Amino acid sequence: MSKKKLNVGLVGYGFMGRTHSNAFAQVNHFFDVDYEPVRKAICARDAAKAKAFADQWGYESAETDWRKLIERKDIDLIDIASPNNTHAEIALAAAHAGKMVLCEKPLALNRKEAEKMVEAVEKAGVPNMVWYNYRRVPAVVLAKQLIDDGKLGRIFHYRAKFLQDWTISADLPQGGAALWRLDVNVAGSGVTGDLLAHCIDTAMWLNGGIDQVTAMTETFIKERKHNLTGKVEKVGIDDASAVLARFENGSLGTFEATRYARGHKALYTLEINGENASIAWDLHDLHRLQYFDNHDEGRVRGWRSIHVTDSDHPYMKNWWVPGLQIGYEHTFIHQAADFLKGLSEGKTPAPTFRDALATDYVTDAILDSAQSGTWKQVHGA
Amino acid sequence: MSKKKLNVGLVGYGFMGRTHSNAFAQVNHFFDVDYEPVRKAICARDAAKAKAFADQWGYESAETDWRKLIERKDIDLIDIASPNNTHAEIALAAAHAGKMVLCEKPLALNRKEAEKMVEAVEKAGVPNMVWYNYRRVPAVVLAKQLIDDGKLGRIFHYRAKFLQDWTISADLPQGGAALWRLDVNVAGSGVTGDLLAHCIDTAMWLNGGIDQVTAMTETFIKERKHNLTGKVEKVGIDDASAVLARFENGSLGTFEATRYARGHKALYTLEINGENASIAWDLHDLHRLQYFDNHDEGRVRGWRSIHVTDSDHPYMKNWWVPGLQIGYEHTFIHQAADFLKGLSEGKTPAPTFRDALATDYVTDAILDSAQSGTWKQVHGA
Amino acid sequence: MSKKKLNVGLVGYGFMGRTHSNAFAQVNHFFDVDYEPVRKAICARDAAKAKAFADQWGYESAETDWRKLIERKDIDLIDIASPNNTHAEIALAAAHAGKMVLCEKPLALNRKEAEKMVEAVEKAGVPNMVWYNYRRVPAVVLAKQLIDDGKLGRIFHYRAKFLQDWTISADLPQGGAALWRLDVNVAGSGVTGDLLAHCIDTAMWLNGGIDQVTAMTETFIKERKHNLTGKVEKVGIDDASAVLARFENGSLGTFEATRYARGHKALYTLEINGENASIAWDLHDLHRLQYFDNHDEGRVRGWRSIHVTDSDHPYMKNWWVPGLQIGYEHTFIHQAADFLKGLSEGKTPAPTFRDALATDYVTDAILDSAQSGTWKQVHGA
Amino acid sequence: MSKKKLNVGLVGYGFMGRTHSNAFAQVNHFFDVDYEPVRKAICARDAAKAKAFADQWGYESAETDWRKLIERKDIDLIDIASPNNTHAEIALAAAHAGKMVLCEKPLALNRKEAEKMVEAVEKAGVPNMVWYNYRRVPAVVLAKQLIDDGKLGRIFHYRAKFLQDWTISADLPQGGAALWRLDVNVAGSGVTGDLLAHCIDTAMWLNGGIDQVTAMTETFIKERKHNLTGKVEKVGIDDASAVLARFENGSLGTFEATRYARGHKALYTLEINGENASIAWDLHDLHRLQYFDNHDEGRVRGWRSIHVTDSDHPYMKNWWVPGLQIGYEHTFIHQAADFLKGLSEGKTPAPTFRDALATDYVTDAILDSAQSGTWKQVHGA
């Protein structure tokens, strides 16, 4: 049976451009969905790099102006994988042109921009989704299932951290190319938008809304050479961010993100403690889930290390055989599969732009609190 | 060579009465110190229980009034292992009588009491020490050595948690006997004084003073039957406590303690991230230290799981052979050994009453902040 | 720069047909090689299934007779992913026709067949390789590098196990479709050829030739219904296999494979102990390597858990960023990349058919020893 | 209530002299038994060392001739903690004198000696026990309970290893003082009697008798300076030993012991795989048990890491509170407690001399097989 073609125009060829492209290339090999994403065009300002990327990833064409990409009749979907400060403008134009829009996280530089983006896609009525990919780790989905099944009972605690160490060197410049995440004008914030946003998105998915927060942030290296200006400039991003939170369900949250935790590369960990059971997960061993069930017989009660590779685990019957792990990139393939399935069913799976806006409300409250030193109510909560 | 006798009068026969007694019984079997603690008398209000404890632990006599114990000429040292609300009065009397004083943690119900206790022992010039026993875990001492050796460089982060789950059931009464830790009048506070105090003590020992804190606490079960009155009463303690902190050295701290983390029995974990190296430890596997050294060759850089049982590890040459682990009780034996060695050398090892007061300053600031919702400067910091 | 096309004809659409197809589809997205494998034709007896597989994986055509596939002028390479009892005949014909030949492991039903296959490809002078994919796990390659660098010194011990539990149920039939691995006529042997062969291949790659072995095998479930005949028949395969071995370098080896180790899905573990360092790895966390270096300072000596995801780790600069793990399927992509690179360089990377024959010599000696109950010299060792 | 005194005469003041003395000193602090072991006399050839040990451990007297010790009317029990080659003669004399006899493992230099010892104690009708202490690790006892409860169903596999690395250096002399374990005349064998014997004892306790074995041993360092003669002499012990075994219940066993596994200090690991459940344990984290129960719901099936510190775990209600681990030395205290309880009940708990003889039968068969290169039937099996 032949698939319906879905013509994709990708903006950006960096790290996220690759993960998305891989998702489009692989989804039909493993998931039985009605749609087939066609890698129609890649857009990037540097024509040579765009061309090279197109060759490597099998895009049929390359563009250097995203406005032109959006104008193309043969493009159904705009996928935004360019730096944060470009998200809003591109998304607004794409929605205006009636294209479906996928966008890398965080949705925008701040909640004002994000609100406009939500308004635009909803007004245009176009399918829209944000690549908070950790919602599609099989182990994390299993956690969600267990929570939804009521296995945990009343929730007391939620804690998450995202620890990295790649910016410890004071010699690392800020800004430009792969380093745009250090440039506050391009990134909007530091670890709060980059790493903590992931923690917040998953947290609200698993444990519901966040009511209030108090936070501290720190910039350990105050000045860095800027790659674009060539000058040593004040660093505007937060290097580390730590948060106390109260969830709407009465549970307590603690969050932390940093790029100064020596020895951790991408250690996103989360744990949720309920009356009857607890769950923990970490990205460095993403194929495992830790689960403690207080209903187990006392003598043999213990944290179970679940190797989430069985056929009854989320997404896993589509992959290999039990015991054989998948990795990071697969989360994007799963998200693409869910998006395509959603198209057939006439509904867009979460996280939509609106879902991602909720995360921006929290990260904005965090940054505000870190400035003011006081507890902040989350907008809309 | 015959040892000098040190006559001990112990107050309290509970959990801590046992750990201290074991330390006195064992220290000379494993450590070559000049003094031999003699289990002279145990004091408890219940004469039969005091007698039974004396029989089991080899105390020569039993008392029911601690004032009488302090008056005894044949007692050199008063060891306070009774509930928190008794610490101050006993310690003041013991110091006044010129006895050495050991005291369980936390030092007092609050910093006002604690200040008086410090004043008393310092005025009397008697050796004094507080049983913050986790400073004597070999792995934690190794961490201290590595930090003091400068292996970590500039410190960015310190994080600690103490997670338990034993009070989740709403049927658990408060107060009386082994449950005094749930009675705010006896305990002073909940997890902040009981568990978080340990985290703070170790943190300041390893990473220096704490400048400011902001905190939240929660009492999940609002009312419990009180064992002494037989009535359902409001619960006054904090069930959970979470803290953001700024250390004097510029590093960021996060702390959490709770008795509502299902699946964790006594999971005290700590981690410190420096420019060049990081260290992590947890009480559930207390004989191991995790260490990451960024100076290792890149390809083979990884967290080292150090089995802290070699003869060049702190305290371990006194025990068995490499690979054979010791446990929880040994921390008290180590502390006793250090105290006795200190007597020979004319100095009291940390943590003294004054050191413990510093922890009370932090926990008081935490409780204040949780009330006010604002950042608090730590007294004296 | 445009790639040279390499037209692939795949035989078999099962589990291994999928892993190989994925490798062909993905290799050019991540590795910069001169050749591009073109999925030209898939061959399987069932025309409908062959067609469906072709659609899913983008093969241009489907065949039902492998002889016809081999005759096709537009096929450069025959990739054999069909059951073990078909390997020899297909490989011989492919070699005879001058095609490159890739073959799933084990090479053949027994060493006699395997010898003919080696002779055929060597006589024809065609590139040939066997999919012992675990040689391409980045962590295992790192182990190889460390051994080759002399980090371990004199080797004392090598131990490996491959534990599964999927055939414990007596209700599982033997033979037919996905269950051909339980049919001795199709598989040749049970776990010895299926699982232990992987252990032996890696062992000889890392630690050199094996001189002698003594072994025991067992068939726990003696009779099973045969899916093809519909009758209960004697089970001819070995369910479990355990081996003591002496390596040519004087070190001792222990090996075990089973499908009756409840709780283990695909737990391939290996460990090598040298005078100066030791290394351990396991497939359930394939992105990690455990390394102990006795030259580390005594106090901080410990097993390092290396997260093999840094850019200086084998193959990893081609994937994502540090901390983000890859999985099982990637080993096949790496092997395809190496094969294609070899084509450009005019040499076939290991393991060639000849390398795989060496493994068959060992597994044959193991099966012989299990029968005779005596030590067996490995052929050619 | 006052205890009955049990007067102990200890022979040997080495590592095992200390573990036994500690057991006698501690048992009444933690276990409510009718008897109180009195440290009456320590016997060692070196009078000064015997005296020093007596002082340190509170023995009332010191002897230099074990014959004299046995003659003493005030000694009820002879505890043999001296090197292996002294066990038989002392035990025979002690039994002849009607003393209770405790003996370190292995029981004797070989099975002939061991048989005489069994005969002697049984003829004399004296309580007798061998310190195979790992039977008293709470986690191992829990494993025994689960097996006895039938949780595992039919057993397929048993595997155990005991890995150390302390004799790798060729500069280490053999014989004399703490090094007697390297002198074949004193030790009887190398790792087979020292380490593998532990594995065999536990294995038969958990999984029943062993029928047949095939084995290989190796002496990696062929010559070492002998500390007593001062000359370089041939090494007579086995440095490493590996075994395949068939248990009487039809399950397969693999065993290995070595002192050449770099990075492992005392890594005794065991695992048992049954139809319905599996269990694993290791001495480096002796307070944990790994348990996999196939009856768990599929999605959340995983290896449970049981922190064996709850009050419903074997022996643990006598120690501290949940989450607080005990260590190596406690196994001896437990064994002493069980022995004393046995005295009250008129029965000697396992392992008796006869139980230990069964282990000697297996280790003798192992050493025989390693010599002959053939499978050996275990004597009496």
Side-chain angles (χ1 to χ4, degrees), chain A residues 299-326:
Chain A
R299 285 184 309 168
V300 289
R301 216 178 270 148
W303 282 83
R304 303 180 189 182
S305 183
I306 306 169
H307 204 267
V308 187
T309 57
D310 279 346
S311 57
D312 55 357
H313 287 138
Y315 300 109
M316 291 310 296
K317 74 172 187 300
N318 294 77
W319 294 101
W320 312 107
V321 300
L324 299 181
Q325 73 195 65
I326 59 170

Side-chain angles (χ1 to χ4, degrees), chain D residues 95-208:
Chain D
H96 191 71
K99 310 293 192 192
M100 304 178 195
V101 197
L102 302 184
C103 187
E104 248 308 303
K105 48 63 54 183
L107 185 54
L109 289 179
N110 52 56
R111 73 177 167 99
K112 292 297 172 199
E113 267 192 11
E115 282 170 345
K116 283 181 205 154
M117 294 167 77
V118 171
E119 193 184 318
V121 293
E122 293 189 350
K123 194 169 158 195
V126 293
N128 59 91
M129 203 172 61
V130 180
W131 293 94
Y132 277 110
N133 63 302
Y134 296 119
R135 291 198 191 194
R136 262 77 187 189
V137 176
V140 176
V141 180
L142 177 55
K144 172 70 171 160
Q145 291 177 353
L146 297 172
I147 294 166
D148 287 351
D149 289 356
K151 296 256 189 194
L152 274 64
R154 180 181 172 190
I155 307 298
F156 298 119
H157 292 284
Y158 189 97
R159 58 186 76 84
K161 298 191 297 275
F162 207 133
L163 308 183
Q164 299 187 332
D165 68 359
W166 64 283
T167 66
I168 290 179
S169 168
D171 297 336
L172 191 74
Q174 62 175 311
L179 294 174
W180 64 262
R181 282 178 180 80
L182 279 78
D183 184 342
V184 73
N185 295 318
V186 180
S189 71
V191 297
T192 301
D194 185 27
L195 306 179
L196 207 67
H198 273 301
C199 301
I200 299 296
D201 174 73
T202 322
M204 294 200 294
W205 186 53
L206 295 177
N207 197 36

Side-chain angles (χ1 to χ4, degrees), chain B residues 14-15 166 173-182 227:
Chain B
F15 176 19
W166 64 282
Q174 60 176 314
L179 294 174
W180 63 262
R181 284 178 178 80
L182 279 77
N227 259 355

Side-chain angles (χ1 to χ4, degrees), chain B residues 2-52:
Chain B
S2 141
K3 307 273 184 198
K4 297 179 205 163
K5 307 289 184 185
L6 182 77
N7 291 334
V8 173
L10 170 71
V11 185
Y13 59 86
F15 176 19
M16 284 304 123
R18 293 172 71 230
T19 60
H20 299 191
S21 296
N22 187 63
F24 300 139
Q26 287 284 69
V27 63
N28 296 117
H29 292 151
F30 295 96
F31 290 86
D32 184 22
V33 287
D34 300 336
Y35 284 86
E36 178 187 350
V38 178
R39 282 157 282 162
K40 210 69 188 176
I42 158 76
C43 174
R45 278 174 298 185
D46 183 319
K49 286 184 177 166
K51 178 62 173 56

Side-chain angles (χ1 to χ4, degrees), chain B residues 83-352:
Chain B
N84 300 349
N85 64 339
T86 67
H87 291 189
E89 199 177 12
I90 299 172
L92 264 59
H96 191 70
K99 310 292 192 192
M100 304 178 196
V101 197
L102 303 184
C103 187
E104 248 308 302
K105 49 62 55 185
L107 185 53
L109 289 179
N110 52 57
R111 73 177 168 99
K112 292 296 171 200
E113 267 193 12
E115 281 170 346
K116 283 181 204 152
M117 292 166 77
V118 171
E119 193 184 317
V121 293
E122 293 190 349
K123 194 169 159 197
V126 293
N128 58 91
M129 203 171 60
V130 180
W131 294 93
Y132 277 111
N133 63 301
Y134 296 118
R135 292 198 191 194
R136 262 76 186 188
V137 176
V140 176
V141 180
L142 177 55
K144 172 71 170 159
Q145 290 177 354
L146 297 172
I147 293 167
D148 287 351
D149 289 355
K151 297 257 190 194
L152 274 63
R154 180 180 172 190
I155 306 298
F156 298 118
H157 292 284
Y158 189 97
R159 59 185 75 84
K161 298 192 297 277
F162 207 132
L163 308 183
Q164 300 187 333
D165 68 359
W166 64 282
T167 66
I168 289 179
S169 168
D171 298 335
L172 191 75
Q174 60 176 314
L179 294 174
W180 63 262
R181 284 178 178 80
L182 279 77
D183 184 342
V184 72
N185 296 318
V186 180
S189 71
V191 296
T192 301
D194 186 28
L195 306 180
L196 206 68
H198 274 300
C199 301
I200 299 296
D201 175 73
T202 321
M204 294 201 294
W205 186 51
L206 296 178
N207 196 37
I210 291 173
D211 210 45
Q212 319 171 46
V213 293
T214 191
M216 72 177 162
T217 59
E218 182 63 77
T219 304
F220 290 114
I221 310 285
K222 309 291 188 196
E223 297 189 324
R224 290 180 183 277
K225 190 183 143 195
H226 199 299
N227 259 355
L228 299 183
T229 66
K231 293 183 192 151
V232 172
E233 297 184 7
K234 185 158 180 285
V235 173
I237 60 160
D238 44 302
D239 287 340
S241 182
V243 183
L244 306 181
R246 289 185 178 272
F247 283 85
E248 291 172 3
N249 67 6
S251 61
L252 305 184
T254 62
F255 296 93
E256 186 184 1
T258 181
R259 294 177 185 142
Y260 286 72
R262 181 60 80 195
H264 302 301
K265 301 306 164 190
L267 188 72
Y268 173 14
T269 67
L270 64 86
E271 176 166 345
I272 179 165
N273 302 132
E275 192 176 357
N276 303 318
S278 286
I279 293 172
W281 171 82
D282 88 75
L283 178 57
H284 275 196
D285 297 287
L286 67 82
H287 59 299
R288 289 185 178 272
L289 192 71
Q290 309 298 321
Y291 178 63
F292 182 95
D293 190 334
N294 201 47
H295 292 132
D296 283 344
E297 182 203 340
R299 284 184 310 168
V300 289
R301 218 179 268 149
W303 282 83
R304 304 178 189 183
S305 183
I306 306 170
H307 204 267
V308 187
T309 57
D310 279 346
S311 57
D312 55 357
H313 287 138
Y315 300 110
M316 291 309 296
K317 74 171 186 302
N318 294 76
W319 294 100
W320 312 107
V321 301
L324 300 181
Q325 73 196 65
I326 59 171
Y328 166 75
E329 75 217 40
H330 303 73
T331 57
F332 294 90
I333 304 173
H334 299 162
Q335 187 156 357
D338 288 344
F339 180 78
L340 298 177
K341 200 179 306 173
L343 287 188
S344 302
E345 297 167 356
K347 61 180 182 196
T348 310
T352 61

Side-chain angles (χ1 to χ4, degrees), chain D residues 52-81:
Chain D
F53 190 90
D55 283 352
Q56 186 175 2
W57 283 98
Y59 282 86
E60 299 176 7
S61 61
E63 298 284 351
T64 56
D65 179 355
W66 57 263
R67 288 169 210 280
K68 214 173 136 198
L69 181 75
I70 289 173
E71 283 167 15
R72 279 173 57 166
K73 300 285 183 236
D74 63 344
I75 297 290
D76 302 317
L77 180 154
I78 297 294
D79 180 25
I80 307 171

Side-chain angles (χ1 to χ4, degrees), chain C residues 204 207-212 245-252 377-381:
Chain C
M204 294 201 294
N207 197 35
I210 291 173
D211 209 45
Q212 320 170 46
R246 289 184 178 273
F247 283 84
E248 290 172 3
N249 67 6
S251 62
L252 305 184
Q377 186 71 20
V378 173
H379 183 85

